[in-house]
Each structure stands twice: as C-alpha cells, then as structure tokens.
Amino acid sequence: MAPRHQAPRGTRDLLPEESARWRWVEAQAHGVLDRYGYGEIRTPMFEDYELFARTSGESSDVVQKEMYRFKDLGDRDLALRPEFTAGVMRAFLEGGLGGRSRVHRLWSMGPVFRYGRPGKGRYRQFAQINCELVGSPAPGADVEMITLFVDLYEAWGFKDLTVKLNSVGQPASRRAYGERLRELLSPFGERLSEDSRRRLEQNPLRVLDSKSEADLAVLAELGARLPHMLDFLDEADREHWNAVLAGLDAAGVMHEVDHGLVRGLDYYTRTAFEVHDASLASQSALGGGGRYDGLIEALGGAPTPGVGFAIGLDRTLLVLQERGLAAAAGDTVCVVAMDATRAGVTALVRELRRRFRVEADVEARAFNAQMKSAGKSGARFLVIAGEEEWARGEVALKDSKTGEQKAVRRESLAAELEARVSRQESTT
Ligand code: AMP
C-alpha cells in the first residue's frame, strides 16, 4: 500500500543512519565552539515578520520570495526564521546582554526555512550553525570569527580550505560604488536579467552576485572596466581590511580576495567572507559571514558592532559524504543470551549501557536467531552468556576486530571492554 503522505516538498527526513552522521558533525562543532569560549543562545523558530523584513531588507530575495510568512490564530504577522542573526540580535537586546559585558560570543544551531526552488544542497528546511561576536569593532574580532569558521570545517575533516574575502566598506562608500556600477551597467539594461534590472534600481551591488548566465556574460564583457569595492574604501576601512589580512596570515588561515563578494544591506560593514566547495554549484556557498556594525542600531539598540557567520549543515554533510569524510560509528556490543541466562543478562545489559552502545534481544528468541542478528549487525564485540560459563560467573567475549575470543569474569567485562575501546582510541 502506498503511503498517504509525503514529506513536504523541499524537506526531508533524516533516518537513523544519516542522523548519526549529523550528530557526529554537531558534536565536533560543539567541541570547537566550547574551546573557543562561545555560549549557546536558543531563540524561537518564528519571529515577527517585521523583524526579518527590517533586517534582511525589503528588496532581498529572502523577504520578497522566500519567507514562510503566516498569520497565527490571533492574527499576528509571523514568519519562520530564514536565518539566525535577526532573532539572535533581538534576543540580545531583549535579554539586556549588552548591559552585562562588552563582548559576547554566541552560537546557535537548528533549522531555518526558505521557500526556494529545491535542488542539490537546496532545501526549504535546512540547518545552520550560526556564530556571532558582538561588541568589538576590532579587526582581531573578524580574525577570530574567520579562524573559528575555518576550524569548524577542519574539525569535520576538511583540509586546505581557502576563505574568500572582501570588504564592503561603509554605507556611504558602498553607495558611491553602487552609483558607479549603475552607470556602467545601465547601458546593458536590455541584456540583464529581470532580477538584475530591478536590482540595478534598488541595490546595484547585488548584480555582482547574480547567478543568471545573461548577467554573468555582461559582467565578463565589462571585465577590467568594472571597478572593485576595495577601490572605494575610505582610509579607516582600508586600515581595518589590511589588519584583518595580516591577522589571518599570522593565524595561518588561507584566504583570497573575491571582488564579487558583496552584501548590499545597509547594516553590513567592512569584512565579508565565504567558503565554497567545488562539488557544489559555484554559486552555492558552504557558509559565509561578515561584519554588521549597523544591525543592532537598526533594531533600536545602542550602536554596537558585531561580526558573525552561518554555515549550512546540509551542504557540509553532502560534501563530507561525497568525500567519505564523515566519521564511522563507534563500537557496538551485542549481547546474546540463552533461556537459562536471559533473566540475569537483562541486568548485565543495563549495566553495560551506562557506558557502551549495546544491542540485545527483546523477543526471547532462540540462540541461533540471536547469533544471526549479531552477525548482521556489524557489532564489534559479541558477548555470549552461555549456560555453563554463566554458572561459573563468566561470559564469552569475542572481539571481531582482533578475532580473539576468551572467557571473561562478568564483573570485569566492563573494564575489559573499556580497555579495548580506549586502546583503539589511542591508536587512531
Ligand atoms: P546565507 O544566509 O544565504 O548566507 O546562507 C548561509 C548558508 O546556509 C549557506 O552558505 C548554505 O550553506 C546554507 N543555505 C542557504 N540556503 C540554503 C538552502 N536553501 N538549502 C540548504 N542550505 C542552504
């Protein structure tokens, strides 16, 4: 019989095998974030629509086409979060964090929602890790953020990552740059995509990160005549930019300038960065971030600088899987009982589960059926509670890794397993 329901378009289920990989990725991230001294902040999955409209910009794709906006039964205008930063900053202000200390290091992890066209690495519900360093305007804060960004990927097994970087300056210099772009691009009006013709009016910088072939052809034709945002930086921004580059060099973080990396919204300032992977479409970033010194003020707070990033976990896992990088599951112990030992084995299994992953029969199946399941399960350790050994206070322990099988006293079984697992951990 065909199932009556399917997961909504653009969403998917993570079945146990896949969610195990996710949990590994999340656990690695928790370790890195903890070692960097970041604290977790959890905010609601929906907020007032206005919050996102104000922070993402009315002209952005997210607001115009991708928001899951809805009215609740009390007629409130709400939206599922399309990103974390707006909600985190709202919570920062509402929770009065700014008054408690100057610099805050925050992270969040969870689902975000965008009504885009689904495809490889593009979903309508996807997960992000989001980090923010709030309160410091110093280039060292940008350097810490980018280093943390890269160290998360390294903890997942990515090597030799190069971060793409640009500076988007200040709203005034960006406007001057936008004017120049408009002048240069307007003569191509007819050849630009519809979206870009609109962007040319509202926010010309966004033409630079267009994905349309027509737009890319125009940009290629302009080639060297196209000025760079870096040419428009004022002195203070240039100094900040140079200090960030020097800091990344000192930290050993590989980076390259990407003049096409622009963020048009008014609260973005100075540093912008992204990481891509060749296995995804060239426009599909694995993650990205930047400085947003104007955001908290735009939300009604005192002027407070900040820098942050978001990493897409779905895409990260796709790449990890394609490269075979995600970690193997840990060791499992499979316990096989006989009729006469079944009752006693229940307590043994419970005790072992305080430390190990243990599989055991719940259906009082025959010994042979249990052995067959154990063979299929891929468990590393097999513990057989045979009648005679059990009567002597022992069980048989088989380690499929070494092929060794021996009798072990029941009271020393946990210690014996522990020793084998930690011996393996220290050699890998
Ligand atoms: P953004 O806020 O657009 O810079 O997105 C941050 C990260 O979220 C991206 O680099 C992607 O890894 C991920 N991401 C964005 N949109 C999607 C999507 N529709 N499906 C899966 N991941 C996404």
PDB file of all heavy atoms in Angstrom, residues 360-380:
ATOM      1  N   ALA A 360      20.677  -5.897  22.314  1.00  0.00           N
ATOM      2  CA  ALA A 360      20.287  -7.149  22.955  1.00  0.00           C
ATOM      3  C   ALA A 360      18.885  -7.519  22.506  1.00  0.00           C
ATOM      4  O   ALA A 360      18.087  -6.652  22.164  1.00  0.00           O
ATOM      5  CB  ALA A 360      20.344  -7.000  24.474  1.00  0.00           C
ATOM      6  N   ASP A 361      18.605  -8.812  22.535  1.00  0.00           N
ATOM      7  CA  ASP A 361      17.320  -9.333  22.091  1.00  0.00           C
ATOM      8  C   ASP A 361      16.200  -8.961  23.076  1.00  0.00           C
ATOM      9  O   ASP A 361      16.407  -8.993  24.285  1.00  0.00           O
ATOM     10  CB  ASP A 361      17.465 -10.865  22.008  1.00  0.00           C
ATOM     11  CG  ASP A 361      16.164 -11.542  21.710  1.00  0.00           C
ATOM     12  OD1 ASP A 361      15.620 -11.296  20.630  1.00  0.00           O
ATOM     13  OD2 ASP A 361      15.695 -12.299  22.575  1.00  0.00           O
ATOM     14  N   VAL A 362      15.047  -8.564  22.552  1.00  0.00           N
ATOM     15  CA  VAL A 362      13.916  -8.278  23.453  1.00  0.00           C
ATOM     16  C   VAL A 362      12.772  -9.269  23.245  1.00  0.00           C
ATOM     17  O   VAL A 362      11.721  -9.130  23.847  1.00  0.00           O
ATOM     18  CB  VAL A 362      13.358  -6.842  23.258  1.00  0.00           C
ATOM     19  CG1 VAL A 362      14.336  -5.809  23.741  1.00  0.00           C
ATOM     20  CG2 VAL A 362      12.945  -6.601  21.816  1.00  0.00           C
ATOM     21  N   GLU A 363      12.994 -10.243  22.347  1.00  0.00           N
ATOM     22  CA  GLU A 363      11.865 -11.120  21.980  1.00  0.00           C
ATOM     23  C   GLU A 363      12.038 -12.556  22.457  1.00  0.00           C
ATOM     24  O   GLU A 363      11.330 -13.432  21.989  1.00  0.00           O
ATOM     25  CB  GLU A 363      11.709 -11.131  20.456  1.00  0.00           C
ATOM     26  CG  GLU A 363      11.336  -9.781  19.906  1.00  0.00           C
ATOM     27  CD  GLU A 363      11.440  -9.769  18.395  1.00  0.00           C
ATOM     28  OE1 GLU A 363      12.563  -9.994  17.894  1.00  0.00           O
ATOM     29  OE2 GLU A 363      10.421  -9.577  17.738  1.00  0.00           O
ATOM     30  N   ALA A 364      13.000 -12.763  23.334  1.00  0.00           N
ATOM     31  CA  ALA A 364      13.288 -14.114  23.829  1.00  0.00           C
ATOM     32  C   ALA A 364      13.491 -15.086  22.660  1.00  0.00           C
ATOM     33  O   ALA A 364      12.953 -16.197  22.648  1.00  0.00           O
ATOM     34  CB  ALA A 364      12.177 -14.588  24.758  1.00  0.00           C
ATOM     35  N   ARG A 365      14.262 -14.654  21.666  1.00  0.00           N
ATOM     36  CA  ARG A 365      14.482 -15.521  20.501  1.00  0.00           C
ATOM     37  C   ARG A 365      15.511 -16.604  20.811  1.00  0.00           C
ATOM     38  O   ARG A 365      16.310 -16.483  21.745  1.00  0.00           O
ATOM     39  CB  ARG A 365      14.976 -14.681  19.316  1.00  0.00           C
ATOM     40  CG  ARG A 365      13.871 -13.837  18.704  1.00  0.00           C
ATOM     41  CD  ARG A 365      14.397 -13.040  17.545  1.00  0.00           C
ATOM     42  NE  ARG A 365      15.541 -12.239  17.951  1.00  0.00           N
ATOM     43  CZ  ARG A 365      16.357 -11.646  17.094  1.00  0.00           C
ATOM     44  NH1 ARG A 365      16.187 -11.777  15.795  1.00  0.00           N
ATOM     45  NH2 ARG A 365      17.360 -10.928  17.534  1.00  0.00           N
ATOM     46  N   ALA A 366      15.499 -17.612  19.967  1.00  0.00           N
ATOM     47  CA  ALA A 366      16.422 -18.727  20.156  1.00  0.00           C
ATOM     48  C   ALA A 366      17.863 -18.254  19.950  1.00  0.00           C
ATOM     49  O   ALA A 366      18.103 -17.261  19.253  1.00  0.00           O
ATOM     50  CB  ALA A 366      16.094 -19.830  19.153  1.00  0.00           C
ATOM     51  N   PHE A 367      18.791 -18.991  20.545  1.00  0.00           N
ATOM     52  CA  PHE A 367      20.207 -18.640  20.478  1.00  0.00           C
ATOM     53  C   PHE A 367      20.669 -18.420  19.030  1.00  0.00           C
ATOM     54  O   PHE A 367      21.326 -17.414  18.714  1.00  0.00           O
ATOM     55  CB  PHE A 367      21.011 -19.776  21.147  1.00  0.00           C
ATOM     56  CG  PHE A 367      22.490 -19.571  21.096  1.00  0.00           C
ATOM     57  CD1 PHE A 367      23.107 -18.688  21.980  1.00  0.00           C
ATOM     58  CD2 PHE A 367      23.276 -20.265  20.178  1.00  0.00           C
ATOM     59  CE1 PHE A 367      24.480 -18.489  21.935  1.00  0.00           C
ATOM     60  CE2 PHE A 367      24.643 -20.063  20.130  1.00  0.00           C
ATOM     61  CZ  PHE A 367      25.242 -19.176  21.011  1.00  0.00           C
ATOM     62  N   ASN A 368      20.316 -19.357  18.150  1.00  0.00           N
ATOM     63  CA  ASN A 368      20.789 -19.236  16.760  1.00  0.00           C
ATOM     64  C   ASN A 368      20.289 -17.973  16.069  1.00  0.00           C
ATOM     65  O   ASN A 368      21.022 -17.338  15.320  1.00  0.00           O
ATOM     66  CB  ASN A 368      20.350 -20.459  15.940  1.00  0.00           C
ATOM     67  CG  ASN A 368      21.223 -21.647  16.265  1.00  0.00           C
ATOM     68  OD1 ASN A 368      22.278 -21.471  16.901  1.00  0.00           O
ATOM     69  ND2 ASN A 368      20.793 -22.836  15.867  1.00  0.00           N
ATOM     70  N   ALA A 369      19.028 -17.620  16.335  1.00  0.00           N
ATOM     71  CA  ALA A 369      18.464 -16.408  15.719  1.00  0.00           C
ATOM     72  C   ALA A 369      19.212 -15.178  16.225  1.00  0.00           C
ATOM     73  O   ALA A 369      19.510 -14.250  15.463  1.00  0.00           O
ATOM     74  CB  ALA A 369      16.977 -16.304  16.046  1.00  0.00           C
ATOM     75  N   GLN A 370      19.538 -15.179  17.517  1.00  0.00           N
ATOM     76  CA  GLN A 370      20.284 -14.037  18.079  1.00  0.00           C
ATOM     77  C   GLN A 370      21.675 -13.950  17.461  1.00  0.00           C
ATOM     78  O   GLN A 370      22.169 -12.870  17.155  1.00  0.00           O
ATOM     79  CB  GLN A 370      20.432 -14.190  19.592  1.00  0.00           C
ATOM     80  CG  GLN A 370      19.150 -14.015  20.366  1.00  0.00           C
ATOM     81  CD  GLN A 370      19.413 -14.172  21.861  1.00  0.00           C
ATOM     82  OE1 GLN A 370      20.188 -13.437  22.446  1.00  0.00           O
ATOM     83  NE2 GLN A 370      18.774 -15.162  22.460  1.00  0.00           N
ATOM     84  N   MET A 371      22.313 -15.110  17.284  1.00  0.00           N
ATOM     85  CA  MET A 371      23.669 -15.119  16.700  1.00  0.00           C
ATOM     86  C   MET A 371      23.641 -14.592  15.261  1.00  0.00           C
ATOM     87  O   MET A 371      24.539 -13.880  14.823  1.00  0.00           O
ATOM     88  CB  MET A 371      24.264 -16.539  16.726  1.00  0.00           C
ATOM     89  CG  MET A 371      24.664 -17.002  18.106  1.00  0.00           C
ATOM     90  SD  MET A 371      25.951 -15.941  18.847  1.00  0.00           S
ATOM     91  CE  MET A 371      27.403 -16.535  17.971  1.00  0.00           C
ATOM     92  N   LYS A 372      22.570 -14.942  14.552  1.00  0.00           N
ATOM     93  CA  LYS A 372      22.437 -14.494  13.170  1.00  0.00           C
ATOM     94  C   LYS A 372      22.308 -12.954  13.126  1.00  0.00           C
ATOM     95  O   LYS A 372      22.980 -12.277  12.336  1.00  0.00           O
ATOM     96  CB  LYS A 372      21.191 -15.137  12.544  1.00  0.00           C
ATOM     97  CG  LYS A 372      21.350 -15.420  11.079  1.00  0.00           C
ATOM     98  CD  LYS A 372      20.253 -16.342  10.641  1.00  0.00           C
ATOM     99  CE  LYS A 372      19.945 -16.111   9.177  1.00  0.00           C
ATOM    100  NZ  LYS A 372      18.724 -16.762   8.778  1.00  0.00           N
ATOM    101  N   SER A 373      21.462 -12.403  13.996  1.00  0.00           N
ATOM    102  CA  SER A 373      21.307 -10.936  14.046  1.00  0.00           C
ATOM    103  C   SER A 373      22.627 -10.274  14.417  1.00  0.00           C
ATOM    104  O   SER A 373      22.988  -9.237  13.860  1.00  0.00           O
ATOM    105  CB  SER A 373      20.290 -10.512  15.095  1.00  0.00           C
ATOM    106  OG  SER A 373      19.093 -11.131  14.876  1.00  0.00           O
ATOM    107  N   ALA A 374      23.324 -10.902  15.371  1.00  0.00           N
ATOM    108  CA  ALA A 374      24.595 -10.316  15.819  1.00  0.00           C
ATOM    109  C   ALA A 374      25.568 -10.257  14.644  1.00  0.00           C
ATOM    110  O   ALA A 374      26.260  -9.259  14.450  1.00  0.00           O
ATOM    111  CB  ALA A 374      25.179 -11.142  16.963  1.00  0.00           C
ATOM    112  N   GLY A 375      25.587 -11.313  13.845  1.00  0.00           N
ATOM    113  CA  GLY A 375      26.479 -11.345  12.684  1.00  0.00           C
ATOM    114  C   GLY A 375      26.151 -10.240  11.697  1.00  0.00           C
ATOM    115  O   GLY A 375      27.024  -9.597  11.144  1.00  0.00           O
ATOM    116  N   LYS A 376      24.857  -9.986  11.530  1.00  0.00           N
ATOM    117  CA  LYS A 376      24.428  -8.971  10.559  1.00  0.00           C
ATOM    118  C   LYS A 376      24.661  -7.553  11.061  1.00  0.00           C
ATOM    119  O   LYS A 376      24.789  -6.627  10.282  1.00  0.00           O
ATOM    120  CB  LYS A 376      22.917  -9.126  10.308  1.00  0.00           C
ATOM    121  CG  LYS A 376      22.565 -10.117   9.236  1.00  0.00           C
ATOM    122  CD  LYS A 376      21.147  -9.815   8.769  1.00  0.00           C
ATOM    123  CE  LYS A 376      20.447 -11.085   8.367  1.00  0.00           C
ATOM    124  NZ  LYS A 376      19.020 -11.035   8.616  1.00  0.00           N
ATOM    125  N   SER A 377      24.649  -7.381  12.379  1.00  0.00           N
ATOM    126  CA  SER A 377      24.588  -6.017  12.925  1.00  0.00           C
ATOM    127  C   SER A 377      25.893  -5.244  12.769  1.00  0.00           C
ATOM    128  O   SER A 377      25.908  -4.032  12.897  1.00  0.00           O
ATOM    129  CB  SER A 377      24.203  -6.052  14.398  1.00  0.00           C
ATOM    130  OG  SER A 377      25.353  -6.296  15.177  1.00  0.00           O
ATOM    131  N   GLY A 378      26.997  -5.966  12.520  1.00  0.00           N
ATOM    132  CA  GLY A 378      28.276  -5.260  12.373  1.00  0.00           C
ATOM    133  C   GLY A 378      28.843  -4.821  13.710  1.00  0.00           C
ATOM    134  O   GLY A 378      29.741  -3.991  13.771  1.00  0.00           O
ATOM    135  N   ALA A 379      28.318  -5.374  14.811  1.00  0.00           N
ATOM    136  CA  ALA A 379      28.833  -5.003  16.139  1.00  0.00           C
ATOM    137  C   ALA A 379      30.279  -5.453  16.261  1.00  0.00           C
ATOM    138  O   ALA A 379      30.657  -6.506  15.753  1.00  0.00           O
ATOM    139  CB  ALA A 379      27.983  -5.655  17.217  1.00  0.00           C
ATOM    140  N   ARG A 380      31.060  -4.650  16.966  1.00  0.00           N
ATOM    141  CA  ARG A 380      32.460  -5.048  17.130  1.00  0.00           C
ATOM    142  C   ARG A 380      32.607  -6.173  18.158  1.00  0.00           C
ATOM    143  O   ARG A 380      33.361  -7.112  17.961  1.00  0.00           O
ATOM    144  CB  ARG A 380      33.292  -3.853  17.583  1.00  0.00           C
ATOM    145  CG  ARG A 380      34.701  -4.295  17.923  1.00  0.00           C
ATOM    146  CD  ARG A 380      35.655  -3.195  18.183  1.00  0.00           C
ATOM    147  NE  ARG A 380      36.886  -3.756  18.716  1.00  0.00           N
ATOM    148  CZ  ARG A 380      37.826  -3.036  19.293  1.00  0.00           C
ATOM    149  NH1 ARG A 380      37.678  -1.734  19.414  1.00  0.00           N
ATOM    150  NH2 ARG A 380      38.925  -3.616  19.747  1.00  0.00           N
TER     151      ARG A 380
END
